[in-house]
Amino acid sequence: MSIQSFQPGQIVYVIIRNPHAQDVANVQEAAVVQNPDAPGDLALFVYETYYPLNDEVAVFSSSSEAENAFQEAFGYTKIEGYYG
């Protein structure tokens, strides 16, 4: 999806890495919001933090689409519901 197609209030899904353990990633729900640091720009609100919404972030419109991309990138684990 192009970043121009997102609207404030929209719920999307992103693959996000744990900042404390870079070998751990998961699919996370995020909200598209107005960027409080850059009026007129959009941001992703995840884990009580704003992230710039730009072409460097893989954003998916559904959780299943994000899960499929995650599995292609990181593979499956033996523990269902855990990705790492």
Side-chain angles (χ1 to χ4, degrees), residues 12-60:
V12 295
Y13 300 85
V14 296
I15 298 172
I16 193 165
R17 288 191 181 272
N18 182 326
H20 305 290
Q22 285 297 304
D23 60 339
V24 177
N26 66 332
V27 172
Q28 181 63 44
E29 185 177 274
V32 176
V33 297
Q34 291 291 333
N35 189 336
D37 299 323
D41 288 343
L42 296 176
L44 295 169
F45 188 66
V46 183
Y47 294 133
E48 305 293 321
T49 303
Y50 294 95
Y51 295 92
L53 178 58
N54 57 39
D55 290 329
E56 295 178 13
V57 179
V59 180
F60 303 92

